[in-house]
Amino acid sequence: MVTSTVSQDRSRLRRDELVRAAVALLAEGGVRAITHRAVATRAGLPLAATTYYFQSIQDLTEEALRVHVEDRIKGLQELAASAAIGSASVDEVAERFVNALLARDQAGTIAQFEVYLEAARNPAFQQTVADALDAFEDLARATLETLGASQPAHAAAAFVAVINGFALNSLARPRPIEIECAALLDALRALFIRYVMDEDELARWHARLREPLH
């Protein structure tokens, strides 16, 4: 019984090592970098290990994507919770969250966008990406609801899209973190103000935007 338990633990560890190796390769070279040989080499395991634990390279890739998304969600949940502790205002929560978000290592962000791009090319990965975006939006919705935003579910999609856009731009054109933080904070403040406006004030702004340009 003890031998069986040890064997199962070793098996789970090897499988996890293969998945983690695939996640690392994803960040470095995209989905196409995930091959049986590359994953086995990165994990320090025999080539046959990949086919023993996974029926196909797509199964291994999908598992790597799932694990990566779970890691990202957990990390963002921790960031959101940490930003809220001891903050005196919504603005302070946002500032602490943005600073922590932009200070994170780039590998996870690169892997995230590699997944998005692959889903555009390969329909087999679209559900994985849809699940990831749903999870990101659920986290944003819960945070926005706590902070008093109206229509938090609708607002969440906009917040996630803005944050993703800034993250992608930051990868393509790295700038000092203080510049990136200031720009993202301005965008998030504007979005938040829109979702805490009362209906009359929002209607007045909509009317102003429809006025002829002078």
Side-chain angles (χ1 to χ4, degrees), residues 134-210:
D134 285 345
F136 291 141
E137 289 177 9
D138 283 345
L139 174 59
R141 177 199 52 74
T143 303
L144 289 165
E145 189 170 19
T146 299
L147 296 176
S150 64
Q151 300 178 289
H154 187 264
F159 272 82
V160 170
V162 167
I163 290 171
N164 278 342
F166 269 83
L168 183 58
N169 281 1
S170 181
L171 290 175
R173 184 189 59 181
R175 296 187 298 179
I177 191 169
E178 60 270 15
I179 294 176
E180 294 290 347
C181 286
L184 180 52
L185 275 170
D186 280 347
L188 295 182
R189 285 189 187 106
L191 262 181
F192 189 77
I193 290 170
R194 180 263 178 262
Y195 284 104
V196 292
M197 279 185 180
D198 62 45
E199 292 300 320
D200 289 341
E201 186 176 10
L202 186 60
R204 286 195 295 272
W205 272 105
H206 283 173
R208 288 183 63 179
L209 294 174
R210 289 192 295 267

Side-chain angles (χ1 to χ4, degrees), residues 34-198:
I34 302 176
T35 66
H36 289 290
R37 186 173 299 280
V39 171
T41 299
R42 176 59 65 90
L45 294 171
L47 178 59
T50 58
T51 53
Y52 178 81
Y53 290 103
F54 299 94
Q55 291 185 352
S56 67
I57 199 65
Q58 179 159 324
D59 288 340
L60 173 54
T61 302
E62 288 179 354
E63 180 68 4
L65 301 186
R66 184 188 65 78
V67 168
H68 170 68
V69 167
E70 287 180 353
D71 287 348
R72 296 292 284 177
I73 292 296
K74 182 179 179 181
L76 289 172
Q77 287 173 333
E78 290 172 353
L79 282 182
S82 176
I85 295 173
S87 293
S89 65
V90 171
D91 199 60
E92 188 174 344
V93 172
E95 186 172 352
R96 292 175 62 183
F97 178 81
V98 166
N99 274 282
L101 180 66
L102 295 181
R104 301 177 81 195
D105 70 283
Q106 291 188 340
T109 305
I110 292 171
Q112 178 181 336
F113 288 115
E114 288 287 359
V115 174
Y116 291 178
L117 290 171
E118 187 59 27
R121 303 183 189 105
N122 185 350
F125 294 108
Q126 288 178 359
Q127 187 58 52
T128 300
V129 170
D131 292 342
L133 288 171
D134 285 345
F136 291 141
E137 289 177 9
D138 283 345
L139 174 59
R141 177 199 52 74
T143 303
L144 289 165
E145 189 170 19
T146 299
L147 296 176
S150 64
Q151 300 178 289
H154 187 264
F159 272 82
V160 170
V162 167
I163 290 171
N164 278 342
F166 269 83
L168 183 58
N169 281 1
S170 181
L171 290 175
R173 184 189 59 181
R175 296 187 298 179
I177 191 169
E178 60 270 15
I179 294 176
E180 294 290 347
C181 286
L184 180 52
L185 275 170
D186 280 347
L188 295 182
R189 285 189 187 106
L191 262 181
F192 189 77
I193 290 170
R194 180 263 178 262
Y195 284 104
V196 292
M197 279 185 180
D198 62 45

